[in-house]
């Protein structure tokens, strides 16, 4: 019997008892369906988180701020220090001691820091388009390597000379634009108050409209030319005796050096009186929670597959029992024990293939239905989230994994069939 004959015979034998085989396949379908769907949900959520992370920062940049030992110790409000420069406060960084140019030099001299740049900031009074109402607006700095999820338009030209702005989608209608596309190329007016208390304005071109996201969804993103202009305007009239102060600094480091090297760098900066936070520090717990939930759900799927494998063992043991005389006749006609073993093993793999394939197809169909049903309701505020994301590699892994489990489950019945004595088998009734 050739290998192709073994496969063809295994397919035919698998459904000699249709009801029993169908029930076994259904059990495998449940396991494969659950395993595929939970992995697809995990992949979809993690993909969304990765896109969100890409709009917050990059892996090789730390946010460095002046440490506040009193606040860190939880000893209540920090005491006033007349020699300490404050950084304006507010925003996602909160009120904090400012960094001076001397602090930037200290950070740059720390071993492991490749380069340092101050984080620019500006506090806007309002944004306005032509004769529209005026609305409050905050801005956040974009680091090279970051990208913003866009509903329309394109990313900023960070090193461009023209003032550019990515506008949050929530401002499109209030500023009088018909839709997101209508805002692209428009000029908006930005107003702020300088150090003398005088309100000044500047203009910027809208090059993109940002999708609302999990975080920072209402902050506009300027390019460096615009942010520098805003920062300079806000500093007009500042007394010469008041030193330049920065809310925080961006420190580039070698992210590929490993976690120990990164921790050593953070410890060195802490020794100089700074706190350094990586992107992983900010979102590590969030992604860990997602991975843990997916792992738990996968645990339930594996339990279902174990139960299904017991069904395969039972199905094949009964098949060996029913085909005892048939096995004896095949061995009497010269079929080797190895061929008998492969015949029943392939039969188990066929059952696993059918169950996993049907489970994957059902998971895909369920994902499409769930995505369509939720996109207009609870997912409406999370544009860009593909809740169920089937990755080809994961799908292939599930199918191959289930087939491997089926093969292992069929090993015992196949060995029993292979070891049967042909004479005793022919006498079996």
């Amino acid at each position: 019997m050739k290998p192709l004959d073994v496969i063809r015979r295994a397919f035919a034998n698998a459904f000699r008892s249709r009801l029993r085989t169908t029930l076994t396949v259904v059990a495998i379908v449940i396991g494969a369906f659950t395993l595929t769907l939970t992995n697809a949900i995990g992949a979809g959520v993690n993909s969304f988180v990765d896109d969100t992370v890409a709009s917050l920062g990059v892996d090789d940049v730390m946010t460095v701020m002046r440490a506040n030992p009193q606040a860190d110790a939880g000893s209540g409000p920090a005491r006033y220090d007349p020699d300490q420069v404050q950084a304006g406060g507010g925003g996602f960084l909160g009120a904090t001691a400012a960094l001076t140019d001397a602090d930037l030099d200290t950070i740059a001299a720390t071993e492991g820091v490749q380069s340092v740049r101050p984080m620019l900031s500006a506090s806007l009074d309002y944004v306005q388009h032509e004769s529209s109402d005026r609305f409050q607006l905050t801005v956040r700095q974009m680091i090279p390597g970051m990208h913003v999820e866009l509903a329309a338009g394109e990313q900023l030209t960070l090193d461009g000379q023209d003032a550019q702005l990515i506008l949050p989608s929530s401002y499109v209608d209030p500023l009088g634009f018909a839709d997101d596309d209508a805002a692209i190329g428009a000029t908006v007016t930005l107003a702020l108050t300088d150090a003398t208390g005088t309100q000044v304005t500047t203009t910027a071109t809208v090059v993109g409209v940002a999708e609302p996201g999990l975080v920072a969804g209402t902050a506009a993103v300027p390019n460096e030319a615009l942010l520098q202009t805003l920062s300079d305007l806000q500093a007009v009239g500042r007394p010469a005796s008041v030193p330049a102060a920065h809310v925080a600094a961006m420190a580039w480091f070698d992210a590929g050096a490993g976690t120990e090297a990164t921790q050593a760098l953070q410890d060195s900066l802490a020794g100089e009186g700074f706190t350094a936070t990586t992107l992983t520090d900010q979102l590590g717990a969030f992604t860990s929670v997602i991975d843990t939930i997916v792992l738990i759900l996968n645990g339930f799927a594996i339990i279902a597959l174990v139960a299904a494998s017991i069904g395969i063992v039972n199905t094949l043991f009964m098949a060996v029992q029913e085909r005892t005389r048939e096995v004896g006749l095949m061995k009497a006609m010269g079929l080797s024990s190895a061929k008998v073993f492969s015949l029943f093993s392939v039969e188990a793999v066929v059952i696993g293939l059918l169950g996993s394939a049907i489970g994957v197809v059902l998971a895909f169909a369920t994902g499409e239905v769930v995505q369509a049903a939720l996109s207009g309701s609870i997912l409406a505020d999370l544009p860009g989230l593909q809740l169920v994301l089937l990755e080809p590699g994961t799908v292939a892994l599930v199918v191959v994994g289930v087939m491997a489990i089926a093969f292992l489950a069929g090993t015992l019945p196949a060995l029993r069939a292979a070891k049967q004595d042909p004479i005793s088998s022919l006498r079996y009734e």
Side-chain angles (χ1 to χ4, degrees):
M1 184 178 289
K2 298 179 180 178
L4 189 59
D5 296 328
V6 172
I7 295 173
R8 189 180 297 116
R9 188 70 177 267
F11 267 96
N13 289 339
F15 287 93
R16 289 172 68 168
S17 177
R18 294 185 179 179
L19 178 60
R20 189 169 61 214
T21 302
T22 300
L23 292 176
T24 304
V25 169
V26 168
I28 297 174
V29 167
I30 294 172
F33 168 81
T34 309
L35 195 60
T36 305
L37 196 59
T38 53
N39 273 291
I41 292 175
V45 174
N46 277 321
S47 175
F48 180 69
V49 170
D50 288 343
D51 290 340
T52 303
V53 168
S55 67
L56 294 177
V58 290
D59 292 334
D60 61 347
V61 177
M62 289 181 177
T63 302
V64 183
M65 294 184 291
R66 168 64 67 184
N68 188 338
Q70 295 185 55
D72 293 343
S75 57
R79 292 185 181 279
Y80 172 67
D81 181 356
D83 297 327
Q84 180 174 282
V85 180
Q86 295 295 324
F92 72 96
L93 294 174
T96 180
L99 297 176
T100 63
D101 289 340
D103 290 330
L104 297 181
D105 293 338
T106 302
I107 296 170
T110 304
E111 183 178 357
V113 174
Q114 296 175 338
S115 62
V116 176
R117 287 174 55 186
M119 187 172 286
L120 300 177
S121 63
S123 179
L124 298 182
D125 294 338
Y126 66 83
V127 60
Q128 184 182 33
H129 173 242
E130 296 181 345
S131 59
S132 73
D133 292 337
R134 298 171 177 179
F135 299 93
Q136 296 180 7
L137 181 68
T138 58
V139 294
R140 62 188 178 96
Q141 188 168 4
M142 190 167 184
I143 303 172
M146 292 171 52
H147 77 270
V148 180
E149 287 295 304
L150 296 176
E154 57 187 19
Q155 300 290 333
L156 296 167
T157 305
L158 281 182
D159 56 354
Q161 299 299 313
D162 299 328
Q164 298 179 343
L165 186 75
I166 292 179
L167 198 65
S169 61
S170 57
Y171 283 75
V172 170
D173 184 59
L175 290 177
F177 298 112
D179 53 32
D180 294 343
D181 292 327
I184 306 304
T187 300
V188 294
T189 301
L190 305 172
L192 50 77
T193 302
D194 64 20
T196 66
T198 303
Q199 191 173 65
V200 294
T201 63
T202 186
T203 59
T205 302
V206 178
V207 298
V209 174
E211 293 269 22
L214 287 176
V215 292
T218 59
V221 184
N223 67 346
E224 292 192 9
L226 175 58
L227 188 57
Q228 188 64 58
T229 299
L230 295 172
S231 182
D232 291 344
L233 286 174
Q234 199 143 47
V236 171
R238 185 181 62 201
S241 58
V242 177
H246 312 289
V247 174
M250 300 175 290
W252 275 258
F253 67 102
D254 183 8
T259 54
E260 291 185 1
T262 302
Q263 186 59 53
L265 174 56
Q266 289 176 302
D267 293 341
S268 297
L269 290 169
E272 298 289 346
F274 305 105
T275 59
T277 307
T278 65
L279 190 60
T280 303
D281 293 334
Q282 297 177 48
L283 296 173
F286 185 56
T287 53
S288 295
V289 168
I290 296 172
D291 291 340
T292 302
I293 293 174
V294 171
L295 186 62
I296 292 173
L297 293 175
N298 282 343
F300 287 111
I302 290 177
I303 291 174
L305 286 175
V306 170
S309 66
I310 294 174
I312 294 175
V313 173
N314 181 61
T315 297
L316 290 183
F317 264 130
M318 294 185 70
V320 172
Q321 187 90 8
E322 292 171 355
R323 284 184 256 161
T324 299
R325 299 190 65 179
E326 180 183 330
V327 171
L329 181 60
M330 287 190 294
K331 297 191 76 172
M333 295 177 67
L335 193 67
S336 66
S337 296
K339 291 289 185 183
V340 174
F341 176 83
S342 61
L343 192 62
F344 282 91
S345 294
V346 172
E347 190 172 328
V349 172
V350 167
I351 294 173
L353 174 62
L354 288 174
S356 59
I358 295 173
V360 167
V361 171
L362 286 178
F364 175 76
T366 302
E368 291 295 310
V369 172
V370 170
Q371 182 73 34
L374 300 183
S375 59
S377 54
I378 63 175
L379 299 183
D381 294 332
L382 298 172
L385 171 59
Q386 178 70 31
L387 184 61
V388 181
L389 180 62
L390 284 175
E391 297 176 322
T394 303
V395 171
L397 188 62
V398 169
V399 173
V400 173
V402 172
M403 290 171 64
I405 291 174
F407 173 78
L408 293 175
T411 299
L412 284 178
L415 282 175
R416 182 175 178 179
K419 291 180 178 178
Q420 284 186 3
D421 178 65
I423 299 176
S424 300
S425 299
L426 288 171
R427 291 176 178 171
Y428 179 78
E429 294 182 359

